[in-house]
Amino acid sequence: MIVSVHVADIGVRSVRSVLRACPRPDGTPGLRWAQTALTGLIAAGPPRLRPGRATLIASWEDDSALDRFLAEDPLAQRLADGWRVRLQPLRASGDWDPMPMEIDPGAPGDEEDGPVAVLTLGHLRLRRALPFLRANSRAAGRAAADPSMLASLAMARPPRFVGTFSLWRSTSAMRRYAYGAALPEHKEAVSEHRAKSFHHEAAFLRFRPYGAQGALDGQEPGALESLGCGTH
């Protein structure tokens, strides 16, 4: 199993049709799960919505299934001028029934200090939306200010789907942000979620990024190549 994240600026008028074009496993060979969403920038305060930008998150049986989608599917062509990255699962916590995580026994250990990508996925409890936004704002502000975070997205598909994607220079840098004593905001948000869940269902997933292509907010695949990720 692999996961892909696709991001493209397609224009405000096209976003609605792209959101409706979310691929389905019963019509896309090798697809296990997919979600299209609106995107914004991770930042202190509410996420900064990027009008005209859309994202697709998808899990696949293997690289061949993703290659087939990229070559044949009309949605892939509409997102082709943006940025995408392939992700190898390393670790998962929580539950996301639509996308059971399979960790390859041959995957590099999560303790290896290479580049790492993080996905958070949530099915929001609407009555907990305001506490979620407050807690997320504090943690997101710290993440956005961290020079080790190379790229990030806040994602939403109203009324309930919310998520984030972040790409970090190293696992150790990501852990300092998430668990370090000097930066308690993320730990406080996790503790608040555990005490009274923000979501009906939520998952926190780590990946080894590889196969990046295109550009996102001015970042080129070369930034990943220098970290040993390469392109595909």
Side-chain angles (χ1 to χ4, degrees):
M1 172 191 168
I2 66 166
V3 170
S4 63
V5 176
H6 313 243
V7 191
D9 292 307
I10 57 175
V12 174
R13 294 183 179 180
S14 298
V15 167
R16 184 175 296 180
S17 63
V18 165
L19 294 181
R20 291 198 300 262
C22 186
R24 297 170 56 90
D26 58 5
T28 307
L31 177 68
R32 296 186 172 190
W33 172 81
Q35 178 69 71
T36 51
L38 303 170
T39 75
L41 298 177
I42 291 178
R48 299 174 185 171
L49 182 65
R50 293 291 297 265
R53 174 176 287 186
T55 188
L56 166 69
I57 316 160
S59 62
W60 308 89
E61 291 179 1
D62 51 30
D63 281 296
S64 296
L66 174 54
D67 288 339
R68 189 162 50 243
F69 170 77
L70 293 174
E72 301 174 0
D73 195 281
L75 178 59
Q77 300 306 309
R78 297 183 73 177
L79 299 175
D81 289 337
W83 181 82
R84 65 177 179 265
V85 65
R86 302 177 189 227
L87 305 170
Q88 180 185 22
L90 297 178
R91 177 175 290 192
S93 61
D95 295 296
W96 195 254
D97 287 344
M99 187 178 69
M101 291 291 290
E102 297 176 3
I103 309 300
D104 184 348
D110 186 52
E111 70 279 359
E112 290 189 12
D113 198 26
V116 65
V118 179
L119 269 177
T120 69
L121 306 172
H123 186 217
L124 185 63
R125 297 180 188 270
L126 296 183
R127 66 180 181 274
R128 293 284 289 155
L130 289 178
F132 165 72
L133 290 172
R134 285 195 297 265
N136 188 68
S137 173
R138 295 191 298 269
R142 282 293 189 181
D146 195 315
S148 297
M149 191 174 72
L150 301 176
S152 67
L153 296 170
M155 302 175 287
R157 179 72 182 262
R160 294 187 183 274
F161 173 77
V162 292
T164 64
F165 169 80
S166 56
L167 177 64
W168 297 80
R169 187 173 299 278
S170 66
T171 302
S172 59
M174 181 274 297
R175 285 176 171 161
R176 281 194 298 273
Y177 157 73
Y179 309 117
L183 302 172
E185 290 83 359
H186 180 266
K187 291 189 293 184
E188 290 170 355
V190 171
S191 296
E192 190 173 346
H193 169 71
R194 287 174 176 170
K196 190 175 182 181
S197 177
F198 300 131
H199 306 294
H200 294 284
E201 186 175 37
F204 308 89
L205 316 168
R206 292 186 199 173
F207 302 87
R208 180 183 69 86
Y210 71 102
Q213 190 169 17
L216 175 64
D217 294 327
Q219 292 195 30
E220 301 289 343
L224 290 180
E225 287 178 351
S226 67
L227 299 174
C229 296
T231 58
H232 193 284

